[in-house]
Amino acid sequence: MDIGGSGIKGAPVDLERGELSEERYKVLTPHPATPEAVADGVKEVVDHFGWTGPVGATFPGVVTGGITRTAANVDKRWIGTDAAALLSGRIGGGAGGSPVTLLNDADAAGLAEMRFGAGRGRTGTVVVLTFGTGIGSAVFTDGRLIPNTELGHLELHGHDAEKRASTKAKEDEELNWQQWAHRVQKYLAHVEMLFSPALFVIGGGVSRKADKFLPLIEGIRAEIVPARLQNNAGIVGAAMATQVSGASAGPTGPAGAARPTGGPPAADGSPAASRSVSGARIPPAEGPSPADRAPDAVVDSQVGWPDAGR
């Protein structure tokens, strides 16, 4: 499941190939996008496929321990909500619900691109950026995710960067490709100054039209490539997260039994109760598939956001 500011979409995923196993189904994000209203939309998508197993879901904001900490492009009532529990109960109809693994939307897209897409086998610092209603980011260092970076909210020339360089900004201001590419170029230059990445992966729906704007971007030292999974990366990454967090569907698919949900073990080896994936180590190209990775391949972040309501 991929929850966005404009749409809620999902599909079953083949995790051996990193592909959707059925055509994705999408509903519009309700307005206002309150937790209860969005949960209804998620349930509609899950019910469309008759799915009864574990569910991976993305959220357009900071997620720690299954709790949503920020809400830039959805209703502010998400801040501090135990969203994993809410979605689990709604999808499963109560009584424990269906296991739900929740993570930041761009982090999910990044996990998918690093395992199956444009970042596969790449070392050093890789920055995956998703352009849509806002700008999401996933930063990897030698394959390890630094979670919840939310670089779309960097201040650039006195503005929240995503207010100037997102796909929504392009549409709202009726910018042509040249004008928008100039803004994206300034944003990439700012991110490059901070992180010095070897590679930028440009994702989101606009990645389907990469030939329209990527050739217009100049002066960036890092390699810039479009996402290979395009706008499906978030769905694939969300499905991957159900495995690294300890929840996975049985071999019989939707009707199969799921293992109990839970986060990665703590540093001392004791079980963790987290239902979110806050960081993951992506295996190299010649490494094991997601299904073969051990649950302790994920490290949960302890970052808190006490000022998230500001």
Side-chain angles (χ1 to χ4, degrees), residues 11-296:
V13 175
D14 179 346
L15 285 175
E16 293 298 321
R17 300 170 59 87
E19 298 175 352
L20 308 189
S21 56
E22 296 185 42
E23 184 176 353
R24 72 183 186 187
Y25 182 73
K26 178 179 178 179
V27 298
L28 295 179
T29 301
H31 293 286
T34 63
E36 293 290 338
V38 170
D40 287 340
V42 171
K43 176 175 171 55
E44 179 180 344
V45 175
V46 173
D47 287 350
H48 171 80
F49 295 101
W51 185 261
T52 58
V55 174
T58 77
F59 179 78
V62 172
V63 179
T64 59
I67 298 172
T68 46
R69 302 295 186 180
T70 64
N73 295 307
V74 289
D75 192 270
K76 300 303 180 186
R77 279 170 280 190
W78 279 98
I79 297 173
T81 294
D82 188 342
L86 170 66
L87 295 175
S88 176
R90 186 62 52 85
I91 294 169
S98 297
V100 172
T101 303
L102 190 71
L103 71 163
N104 173 267
D105 56 353
D107 285 350
L111 291 172
E113 284 295 329
M114 292 296 288
R115 180 65 182 92
F116 296 107
R120 183 174 173 86
R122 298 295 294 257
T123 58
T125 301
V126 176
V127 177
V128 180
L129 298 170
T130 58
F131 289 80
T133 305
I135 300 175
S137 62
V139 179
F140 295 84
T141 300
D142 290 331
R144 183 171 292 278
L145 173 67
I146 302 171
N148 293 313
T149 49
E150 289 285 274
L151 300 182
H153 300 296
L154 288 173
E155 183 176 323
L156 186 61
H157 302 306
H159 299 276
D160 206 31
E162 70 177 17
K163 301 299 183 185
R164 297 276 296 168
S166 65
T167 305
K168 185 176 187 298
K170 178 185 184 300
E171 295 170 351
D172 289 350
E173 300 182 43
E174 299 182 347
L175 303 175
N176 61 37
W177 288 110
Q178 181 70 57
Q179 292 169 323
W180 185 63
H182 182 63
R183 292 190 183 187
V184 173
Q185 176 180 305
K186 287 186 175 182
Y187 173 65
L188 294 180
H190 190 54
V191 176
E192 184 171 61
M193 176 191 69
L194 295 172
F195 291 92
S196 300
L199 176 69
F200 281 114
V201 178
I202 306 301
V206 75
S207 61
R208 294 191 299 266
K209 300 179 180 179
D211 61 315
K212 300 285 188 181
F213 67 96
L214 287 189
L216 303 176
I217 295 174
E218 301 176 341
I220 305 300
R221 294 186 300 275
E223 183 182 358
I224 309 173
V225 298
R228 290 184 188 168
L229 279 68
Q230 299 181 345
N231 212 23
N232 290 333
I235 297 174
V236 174
M240 289 173 60
T242 67
Q243 291 204 332
V244 295
S245 70
S248 65
T252 57
R259 293 201 304 266
T261 187
D268 61 1
S270 60
S274 171
R275 284 159 299 198
S276 72
V277 173
S278 298
R281 178 68 167 87
I282 305 302
E286 67 276 15
S289 69
D292 296 328
R293 287 205 298 271
D296 62 358

